């Protein structure tokens, strides 16, 4: 390894490992190599969230048809189960942030995946609506891995690339909500074609896919993951006890690696004298005084309420979209499989939409600092609200709404919603950076609270079918416009 200094910002570098010696964070995104802890952490973070999201929403593609028929569920019981699946995640995300600040995101993420595999494996034991509620509630704890995913990424990547880094891990992880529609439906159809009846096929699907994936990724995180750039989570304070411009090769514990390390203190703003608190912030264990300070700070609630509207809308779409499409277009040629595949489009948009939002947030930060991130997030959140209103209005005002038009509106709604999510978690590290785990937990929990609120809207407003979409759109639009009033730091 041959460290060399550089006085210029590398921008978003996807090849070299560029270390900021002020905090040992990576100022580049070396995604295409697994010979350094930064790349390994990045890929383990999104994979952990991906399998959690896939398992969390594994019921959604099968419940409108197979599970509803097998358990003799009413439409209201289906909607109730969608709400219940989000409740445990709300509680887990709140507590998860505190655990992250104390024990580190790697161990917390692996623990959640292992614990979440238990109710996933027991999914087939549900024989009544009540049993379904209980199983979906406990599977919902897997949603807490989002907090660990974002906190782990933030611990390893510097402020000039944090938007792109967290958006990529969050977006690729969230795409599990799209892939689960294709995977679970395809597996279910294959099992039925192979001779299993409906009663057995959907139950076997959970044992074959979610459980092994959860356990395999949890094992990989424990074996190959690293707590912090400084090594162990308990050593994290050592990362900032050094002067900018000095660097110890042993910090990466990769002396044998041929990777060339560029050492630079990256300053994305024009004035190099301006230093962000984020540069030297270290996660402190949560105390009552710290918690009170974080909760009473208006800045805490800027990304939190924005996330309530964006992730909340996304979660409600993941849970309800297939059922709405099946109700709109059910026919001999349009059944559970086709509705599930179309609904998967919303989750698939995360592959590029959320990373796109994070990438543009980094560009805005370079030019306008934190205010640039704030206004980009609010713009996308208001656009999401407008698209939700448009989708609902179109469905309600057309006797036979065109499936093509509905799909196009769903895609634009997904892009604006998920891009805003990407911007959101590029803003979170600037808010209470010394309690990033707790902060991530609050924002993540508020997103889940939004999912519950919007799921209740779908639950209480089943007809006409477009009404829930425009009600949720109005809520998103109104909240995002009010967030303009909250001030943010410059860097």
């Amino acid at each position: 390894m041959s460290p060399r200094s550089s006085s210029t910002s590398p921008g978003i570098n996807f090849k070299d490992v560029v270390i900021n010696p002020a905090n040992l964070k990576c100022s580049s995104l070396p995604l295409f190599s697994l010979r350094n802890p930064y790349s390994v952490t990045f890929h383990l973070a999104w994979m952990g969230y991906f399998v959690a999201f896939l398992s969390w929403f594994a019921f959604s593609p099968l419940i409108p048809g197979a599970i509803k028929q097998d358990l003799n569920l009413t439409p209201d019981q289906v909607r109730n189960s969608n709400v219940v699946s989000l409740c445990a995640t709300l509680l887990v995300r709140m507590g998860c942030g505190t655990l992250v600040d104390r024990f580190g995101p790697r161990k917390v993420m692996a623990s959640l995946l292992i614990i979440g595999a238990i109710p996933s494996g027991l999914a087939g034991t549900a024989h009544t609506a009540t049993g379904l509620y209980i199983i979906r509630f406990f599977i919902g704890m897997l949603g807490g891995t989002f907090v660990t995913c974002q906190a782990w990424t933030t611990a390893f990547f510097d402020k000039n690339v944090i938007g792109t880094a967290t958006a990529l891990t969050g977006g690729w992880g969230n795409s599990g909500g799209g892939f689960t529609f294709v995977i679970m439906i395809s597996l279910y159809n294959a099992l039925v074609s192979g001779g299993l009846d409906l009663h057995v096929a959907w139950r076997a699907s959970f044992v074959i896919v979610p459980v092994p994936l959860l356990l395999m990724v949890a094992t990989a995180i424990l074996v190959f993951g690293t707590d912090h750039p400084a090594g162990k989570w308990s050593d994290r304070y050592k990362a900032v006890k050094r002067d900018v411009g000095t660097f110890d090769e042993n910090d990466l514990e990769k002396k044998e690696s041929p990777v060339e390390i560029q050492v630079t203190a990256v300053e994305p703003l024009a004035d190099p004298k301006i230093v962000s608190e984020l540069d030297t912030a270290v996660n402190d264990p949560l105390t009552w005084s710290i918690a009170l300070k974080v909760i009473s700070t208006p800045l805490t609630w800027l990304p939190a309420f924005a996330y309530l509207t964006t992730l909340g809308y996304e979660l409600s779409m993941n849970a309800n979209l297939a059922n709405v499409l099946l109700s709109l277009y059910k026919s001999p040629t349009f059944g559970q499989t086709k509705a599930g595949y179309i609904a998967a489009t919303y989750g698939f948009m995360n592959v590029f939409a959320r990373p796109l939002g994070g990438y543009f947030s980094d560009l805005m930060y370079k030019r306008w600092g934190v205010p640039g991130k704030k206004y980009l997030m609010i713009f996308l959140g208001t656009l999401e609200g407008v698209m939700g209103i448009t989708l609902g209005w179109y469905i309600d005002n057309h006797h036979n709404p065109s499936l093509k038009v509905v799909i196009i509106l769903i895609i634009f709604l997904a892009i604006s919603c998920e891009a805003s999510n990407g911007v959101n978690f590029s803003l979170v590290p600037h808010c209470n950076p010394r309690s990033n785990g707790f902060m991530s937990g609050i924002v993540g929990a508020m997103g889940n609270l939004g999912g519950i609120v919007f799921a209740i809207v779908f639950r209480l407003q089943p007809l006409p079918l477009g009404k829930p979409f425009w009600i949720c759109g109005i809520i998103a639009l109104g909240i995002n416009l009010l967030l303009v009033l909250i001030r943010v730091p410059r860097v």
Side-chain angles (χ1 to χ4, degrees):
M1 181 189 305
S2 102
R4 55 191 176 91
S5 298
S6 171
S7 59
T8 61
S9 171
I12 299 182
N13 182 335
F14 290 94
K15 181 180 178 181
D16 301 313
V17 181
V18 185
I19 308 301
N20 182 349
N23 52 24
L24 297 186
K25 292 185 178 183
C26 193
S27 299
S28 60
L29 290 174
L31 308 187
F32 307 108
S33 169
L34 294 178
R35 296 183 296 174
N36 63 85
Y38 300 95
S39 301
V40 172
T41 295
F42 174 90
H43 290 295
L44 288 176
W46 78 258
M47 287 173 61
Y49 187 40
F50 178 91
V51 297
F53 216 93
L54 184 151
S55 305
W56 184 16
F57 283 96
F59 273 99
S60 296
L62 300 179
I63 204 167
I67 298 176
K68 180 181 178 181
Q69 179 181 340
D70 185 38
L71 302 186
N72 296 313
L73 302 176
T74 66
D76 283 345
Q77 288 173 329
V78 171
R79 297 187 190 100
N80 289 340
S81 76
N82 290 334
V83 175
V84 168
S85 72
L86 300 173
C87 292
T89 308
L90 172 64
L91 301 175
V92 171
R93 286 187 175 185
M94 285 297 296
C96 196
T98 303
L99 295 175
V100 164
D101 285 332
R102 184 168 296 275
F103 301 107
R106 180 181 72 96
K107 293 176 182 176
V108 178
M109 174 177 266
S111 299
L112 284 173
L113 294 179
I114 293 170
I115 295 172
I118 298 173
S120 296
L122 295 174
T125 62
H127 292 276
T128 64
T130 301
L132 178 66
Y133 298 160
I134 294 172
I135 290 295
R136 293 199 74 180
F137 177 84
F138 285 104
I139 289 178
M141 70 177 62
L142 287 167
T145 54
F146 172 73
V147 176
T148 60
C149 169
Q150 299 296 273
W152 203 10
T153 307
T154 301
F156 274 79
F157 292 93
D158 211 11
K159 63 184 180 182
N160 67 307
V161 296
I162 191 59
T164 306
T166 54
L168 281 168
T169 54
W172 291 357
N174 262 31
S175 69
F179 280 97
T180 194
F181 280 86
V182 175
I183 293 172
M184 295 301 287
I185 288 177
S186 298
L187 176 59
Y188 169 78
N189 289 339
L191 292 174
V192 171
S193 299
L196 294 182
D197 62 23
L198 174 151
H199 177 80
V200 177
W202 76 262
R203 300 169 192 276
S205 300
F206 282 85
V207 178
I208 295 172
V209 173
V211 176
L213 288 179
L214 290 169
L215 296 177
M216 284 191 294
V217 175
T219 302
I221 289 171
L222 292 174
V223 174
F224 301 109
T226 305
D227 285 346
H228 190 274
K232 296 180 179 179
W233 187 249
S234 58
D235 294 331
R236 63 193 183 279
Y237 294 100
K238 299 178 182 178
V240 297
K241 293 181 180 180
R242 58 187 76 242
D243 296 327
V244 175
T246 64
F247 182 76
D248 184 354
E249 293 182 46
N250 293 322
D251 286 321
L252 293 180
E253 299 179 354
K254 292 280 185 179
K255 295 182 71 172
E256 75 286 357
S257 172
V259 177
E260 185 177 63
I261 300 295
Q262 291 180 306
V263 182
T264 179
V266 177
E267 180 54 62
L269 298 179
D271 186 352
K273 295 180 182 179
I274 298 177
V275 178
S276 169
E277 184 185 0
L278 186 57
D279 289 328
T280 56
V282 177
N283 294 51
D284 291 324
L286 191 68
T287 63
W288 286 110
S289 61
I290 291 176
L292 182 62
K293 180 180 178 181
V294 171
I295 292 172
S296 62
T297 302
L299 185 58
T300 299
W301 303 104
L302 171 62
F305 275 101
Y307 210 55
L308 181 148
T309 66
T310 54
L311 183 75
Y313 211 139
E314 180 179 352
L315 293 177
S316 65
M317 291 290 278
N318 285 336
N320 293 283
L321 187 54
N323 199 42
V324 170
L325 290 172
L326 194 59
S327 299
L328 271 175
Y329 302 106
K330 188 173 183 179
S331 69
T333 59
F334 194 103
Q336 172 182 275
T337 299
K338 193 168 185 178
Y341 286 161
I342 294 174
T345 303
Y346 200 95
F348 284 147
M349 292 296 105
N350 273 296
V351 173
F352 79 92
R354 188 162 184 155
L356 196 65
Y359 174 75
F360 278 110
S361 74
D362 285 335
L363 296 182
M364 297 292 283
Y365 181 65
K366 187 174 183 179
R367 177 66 180 84
W368 288 291
V370 180
K373 293 185 176 185
K374 168 190 167 180
Y375 287 110
L376 177 60
M377 179 186 71
I378 291 174
F379 167 75
L380 291 169
T382 55
L383 180 61
E384 171 213 0
V386 171
M387 293 308 303
I389 295 170
T390 303
L391 175 62
W393 177 88
Y394 178 78
I395 293 174
D396 283 351
N397 286 274
H398 291 78
H399 180 65
N400 293 307
S402 167
L403 180 59
K404 291 181 180 179
V405 173
V406 169
I407 291 174
I408 290 172
L409 291 175
I410 288 172
I411 289 173
F412 279 106
L413 174 59
I415 291 173
S416 57
C417 174
E418 292 159 13
S420 182
N421 287 340
V423 181
N424 192 297
F425 264 82
S426 76
L427 180 62
V428 167
H430 298 276
C431 310
N432 308 297
R434 298 186 185 280
S435 299
N436 186 61
F438 185 50
M439 181 69 200
S440 297
I442 290 175
V443 177
M446 286 294 286
N448 228 77
L449 178 61
I452 294 173
V453 170
F454 291 158
I456 291 175
V457 172
F458 276 88
R459 167 67 178 82
L460 298 179
Q461 303 290 339
L463 291 173
L465 290 172
K467 192 174 182 180
F469 294 104
W470 62 256
I471 290 177
C472 294
I474 291 174
I475 294 173
L477 180 63
I479 291 177
N480 276 279
L481 289 176
L482 288 174
L483 294 177
V484 173
L485 300 175
I486 301 179
R487 300 181 63 183
V488 297
R490 185 186 169 198
V491 294

